[in-house]
Amino acid sequence: MTTGEPSADDSGGPRDPLMVVSIHDVAPATADETARWCADADALGIPVSLLVIPGPWRGMALAEHADYAGVLRARAEHGDELVLHGWCHQAGPEGRAVRRAVGRAVARGAAEFAALDEQQAGRRLTDAKAVLAALGLETAGFTPPGWLASPAAERALARAGFRYTTDHFGVKDLRGSRAARARRGFALSHRPGGTGERLGAAVMKAGAAWATRRRGLVRVALHPDDLHRPGLRDDTLRAIEGALKAGARATTYGAVLDAAAS
């Protein structure tokens, strides 16, 4: 471990460096990209959190592709975690204009839960859970598209029985009377095709190394479109390998919540 004082978790105790590698936008339309990232994770010997979109997205829906649900079940049996990632991953006209504008700026129109009220969020969660249940898939965690969810959407998540959600800054425990930060850790992600693409790659590598040195939570987010840009896959794998060599232990979001509660 490199030098530097270890930081503490929210309960004041020392923490071990953990790393969650999440694969976003898991759906029939991105089956090939997800398989590529999963193969990379398998080669590294690490589990991943698979962020599943059950509703219609890029012209396909999970309910229409039961064979792909079988792939996801096999990954869960392999030790990966299934995490709900919204319903359709597309923001609509609902909610306050300010929250919608923030969602567009941060998540390029994908912030589906950023401005929803509790009833609107609840309907989408009910639809998503019904699809997953019909296909024999289970999840207790939720990562909103763009890592943006309104306070009302978080209340809907708790009412729907989800154990945790995530945002840009960490993992939030939804059990109890109010959501509490279970573990802090900034989400490191690329912005493929944008003007900040190379800067984002550098930030991912530096951020993973910094969080590991601080004995914090390293969060590396992989997206299907990352694989369509030359060099981003290699940059990502180097960041993950660097964190592992520095002592980070790869795990899943659900296991991070369990560790925080123990």
Side-chain angles (χ1 to χ4, degrees):
M1 185 69 62
T2 55
T3 58
E5 291 296 323
S7 53
D9 63 19
D10 291 352
S11 64
R15 38 182 202 189
D16 296 325
L18 298 177
M19 175 168 60
V20 173
V21 175
S22 58
I23 301 178
H24 289 230
D25 309 344
V26 174
T30 54
D32 291 343
E33 292 90 342
T34 297
R36 177 66 179 273
W37 280 129
C38 284
D40 286 332
D42 291 345
L44 291 169
I46 63 174
V48 292
S49 292
L50 296 164
L51 277 53
V52 180
I53 304 171
W57 188 63
R58 296 189 178 181
M60 304 174 75
L62 186 58
E64 300 165 357
H65 295 272
D67 54 339
Y68 192 62
V71 173
L72 298 180
R73 284 193 298 271
R75 293 302 308 183
E77 293 169 359
H78 172 78
D80 295 337
E81 175 190 25
L82 302 183
V83 181
L84 183 62
H85 193 39
W87 166 246
C88 65
H89 205 274
Q90 183 65 43
E94 303 92 346
R96 295 172 55 191
V98 172
R99 295 195 66 87
R100 296 201 312 270
V102 170
R104 286 193 299 271
V106 174
R108 302 180 181 182
E112 179 186 5
F113 279 71
L116 299 182
D117 63 28
E118 192 168 342
Q119 185 178 35
Q120 292 163 343
R123 284 197 296 266
R124 297 188 187 212
L125 294 173
T126 297
D127 291 344
K129 292 182 70 175
V131 169
L132 295 180
L135 295 171
L137 302 174
E138 297 181 356
T139 181
F142 182 84
T143 288
W147 290 290
L148 295 171
S150 66
E154 289 193 356
R155 292 194 296 272
L157 285 166
R159 286 173 60 88
F162 285 87
R163 294 178 63 217
Y164 74 87
T165 186
T166 70
D167 59 19
H168 283 96
F169 304 104
V171 185
K172 299 175 74 172
D173 191 338
L174 293 169
R175 298 167 295 184
S177 60
R178 56 182 296 181
R181 188 79 61 186
R183 191 74 184 254
R184 296 186 184 278
F186 189 75
L188 301 170
S189 177
H190 293 299
R191 288 183 70 85
T195 56
E197 178 175 293
R198 299 315 307 163
L199 176 60
V203 169
M204 175 177 285
K205 183 177 180 180
W210 180 86
T212 304
R213 288 195 302 270
R214 296 286 298 167
R215 296 180 65 180
L217 173 61
V218 182
R219 298 170 62 201
V220 177
L222 315 178
H223 289 80
D225 291 346
D226 296 345
L227 293 171
H228 303 160
R229 300 294 298 175
L232 288 189
R233 173 176 170 268
D234 290 341
D235 290 337
T236 303
L237 296 179
R238 282 195 294 269
I240 295 171
E241 290 169 344
L244 291 171
K245 290 178 181 177
R249 177 169 62 86
T251 187
T252 62
Y253 277 130
V256 168
L257 189 67
D258 292 338
S262 63

